[in-house]
Amino acid sequence: MIWRKYIVRGLKPIDPEDLKAAVQKTQNKKSKISTEQLEMLLNYVKPEKPKTKRVALTATDHLIFGDTDKIIYCESDSNYTIFFLADGQKVIVSKTLKDVEEILEGSDFFRIHASYLINMKHVSKFTRGDGGYVVMSNNQHITVSRKKKDEFFEMFSKI
């Protein structure tokens, strides 16, 4: 009689041992932390790289030591990077913009475009548009790539 009730409703009989095993398996899965979750947690907890305050710029025949706050922006020129400084100086360094970005990581610099790394402290104005552009403290206009626009606003809100 009981079996007929399950068959009529389209339900299968439940084995209590199978049910217990299934519940136990689910509880065990919940308590285990996956490797991905652990990595995400460690990345979140990992202390930030300290901000670089001074940097040595290797020019052709000399080194220039300066504060990162005095760098307005950096422009890529193939395997070289041109530093534009607050005092009007331009320094050409034989490093790629990617290398410079890694050196300045943790500071207030942001890769706004494939060719430009800007110091967020020297942004005077942002003008909307397709991607928009920023005006730096030396009145230089630099285009913000469309791919970087949202990330730029997120970065700007952290300052």
Side-chain angles (χ1 to χ4, degrees), residues 64-76:
I64 297 173
F65 297 94
D67 294 334
T68 56
D69 290 343
K70 294 183 179 166
I71 300 170
I72 299 174
Y73 68 95
C74 305
E75 181 179 358
S76 172

Side-chain angles (χ1 to χ4, degrees), residues 51-96:
K51 290 187 176 187
T52 307
K53 293 289 184 189
R54 291 190 46 87
V55 67
L57 305 177
T58 310
T60 51
D61 59 349
H62 59 281
L63 284 172
I64 297 173
F65 297 94
D67 294 334
T68 56
D69 290 343
K70 294 183 179 166
I71 300 170
I72 299 174
Y73 68 95
C74 305
E75 181 179 358
S76 172
D77 184 12
S78 187
N79 288 329
Y80 295 90
T81 299
I82 306 167
F83 285 77
F84 292 84
L85 306 179
D87 63 2
Q89 264 188 311
K90 288 182 188 177
V91 179
I92 299 173
V93 176
S94 62
K95 289 190 183 296
T96 64

Side-chain angles (χ1 to χ4, degrees), residues 45-144:
V45 175
K46 191 186 305 181
E48 283 187 28
K49 184 177 177 181
K51 290 187 176 187
T52 307
K53 293 289 184 189
R54 291 190 46 87
V55 67
L57 305 177
T58 310
T60 51
D61 59 349
H62 59 281
L63 284 172
I64 297 173
F65 297 94
D67 294 334
T68 56
D69 290 343
K70 294 183 179 166
I71 300 170
I72 299 174
Y73 68 95
C74 305
E75 181 179 358
S76 172
D77 184 12
S78 187
N79 288 329
Y80 295 90
T81 299
I82 306 167
F83 285 77
F84 292 84
L85 306 179
D87 63 2
Q89 264 188 311
K90 288 182 188 177
V91 179
I92 299 173
V93 176
S94 62
K95 289 190 183 296
T96 64
L97 192 58
K98 182 179 180 181
D99 294 336
V100 171
E101 185 178 19
E102 288 173 6
I103 292 167
L104 296 173
E105 185 181 5
S107 297
D108 294 317
F109 286 83
F110 179 71
R111 184 84 174 257
I112 200 163
H113 188 278
S115 300
Y116 294 97
L117 179 68
I118 64 168
N119 187 338
M120 297 294 281
K121 292 180 180 178
H122 283 276
V123 174
S124 300
K125 181 170 122 178
F126 172 76
T127 302
R128 299 176 202 272
D130 190 20
Y133 64 89
V134 292
V135 179
M136 303 305 291
S137 60
N138 64 350
N139 289 323
Q140 181 67 34
H141 293 66
I142 301 174
T143 303
V144 179

Side-chain angles (χ1 to χ4, degrees), residues 3-13:
W3 294 105
R4 193 176 287 171
K5 181 170 131 184
Y6 287 110
I7 294 170
V8 171
R9 289 189 178 171
L11 302 175
K12 296 180 181 178

